[in-house]
Amino acid sequence: MKDSLIVVSGGMDSITLLYEYADRIALAVSFDYGANHNHKEIPFARIHCERLKIKHIVIPLAFMKEYFRSSLLDGSDSVPEGHYADENMKSTVVPFRNGIMLSIACGIAESNGLKQVLIANHGGDHAIYPDCRSEFIQAMDKAMRSGTYENIGIFAPYTDISKTEIASRGKKLNLNYAETWSCYKGGEKHCGKCGTCVERKEALRDAGIEDQTEYED
């Protein structure tokens, strides 16, 4: 039964979740919040939804770029390079991004008679993104259930697993990760140096997947 909505960015994690639970997903939602890489990610989300015959909509959140502070919203030169665990990666936090997106997704889900919202946050995000941690997901799930007549909940099966484990699931699904986007700089090719690029390389390597991503380096 297709009773779910998925928040899908076009990155490795959300595309894996899209395929893994495609039989339950009635609607996919992407958010264009003015990030450097939105124009690269969202077309991949659209491609995969079309293949799976899942309705895909894009919600514009232009106000976030105007009023929020984050290197993801300030141009590619503002995005730090290095590993996700590095202190400078905190500049990539978009304040309460998942809270805003989940709230909107919850309203859309209830408006469409759906029962749950899927999101692909994972264990590797916990170090720097507060709204990806299990405590936040549990609290948001409770708030959504309390605030809807239909008891809309969150399904976040990747919360406590690594990106490598997600890639391993994608490998079993025969996903082509070259048809996803990770780089926070949003150039013509993946930069290969920012936190998401480094994490992408490590996950594909450790999952035993040939990395066919085009990198600048």
Side-chain angles (χ1 to χ4, degrees):
M1 181 179 178
K2 290 184 176 289
D3 62 353
S4 303
L5 175 153
I6 185 173
V7 176
V8 60
S9 66
M12 287 178 61
D13 312 319
S14 66
I15 294 302
T16 304
L17 189 66
L18 178 74
Y19 277 85
E20 189 168 10
Y21 294 95
D23 60 339
R24 298 185 59 177
I25 298 170
L27 180 62
V29 180
S30 298
F31 293 95
D32 186 351
Y33 56 98
N36 305 322
H37 60 296
N38 279 162
H39 71 289
K40 301 295 289 189
E41 271 192 323
I42 293 174
F44 282 121
R46 183 177 298 112
I47 287 169
H48 290 288
C49 288
E50 288 176 353
R51 286 180 185 169
L52 293 170
K53 295 181 171 52
I54 294 172
K55 182 179 179 181
H56 176 243
I57 61 175
V58 179
I59 304 295
L61 298 176
F63 72 89
M64 293 177 69
K65 184 175 178 64
E66 184 175 356
Y67 296 109
F68 289 26
R69 297 296 300 272
S70 169
S71 61
L72 295 195
L73 307 174
D74 290 338
S76 61
D77 291 341
S78 299
V79 176
E81 297 179 353
H83 197 277
Y84 244 3
D86 295 344
E87 184 69 18
N88 63 354
M89 291 299 158
K90 288 184 177 179
S91 75
T92 64
V93 172
V94 179
F96 208 63
R97 177 183 60 180
N98 282 349
I100 294 166
M101 294 179 180
L102 284 168
S103 296
I104 295 170
C106 176
I108 295 173
E110 187 165 41
S111 298
N112 285 272
L114 303 175
K115 301 297 183 184
Q116 65 179 358
V117 174
L118 277 63
I119 186 170
N121 60 298
H122 66 88
D125 294 330
H126 295 182
I128 54 173
Y129 298 118
D131 58 359
C132 287
R133 297 169 187 161
S134 57
E135 296 89 346
F136 170 79
I137 295 297
Q138 291 167 13
M140 198 70 188
D141 176 75
K142 183 177 180 180
M144 285 167 50
R145 291 182 186 278
S146 298
T148 55
Y149 281 117
E150 298 301 322
N151 196 38
I152 308 299
I154 297 174
F155 182 52
Y158 299 165
T159 300
D160 295 315
I161 69 173
S162 69
K163 198 178 191 78
T164 297
E165 291 174 279
I166 294 172
S168 296
R169 293 187 183 200
K171 184 178 182 180
K172 293 178 181 177
L173 294 166
N174 294 314
L175 293 187
N176 177 10
Y177 282 123
E179 296 181 324
T180 64
W181 188 266
S182 298
C183 183
Y184 275 165
K185 294 192 177 185
E188 284 303 309
K189 299 179 181 180
H190 283 72
C191 74
K193 298 176 182 178
C194 70
T196 47
C197 279
V198 172
E199 185 190 42
R200 179 188 181 96
K201 288 179 177 181
E202 291 178 347
L204 293 173
R205 179 198 66 205
D206 294 345
I209 299 171
E210 181 183 357
D211 191 350
Q212 298 182 16
T213 308
E214 286 191 79
Y215 296 103
E216 289 180 358
D217 59 350

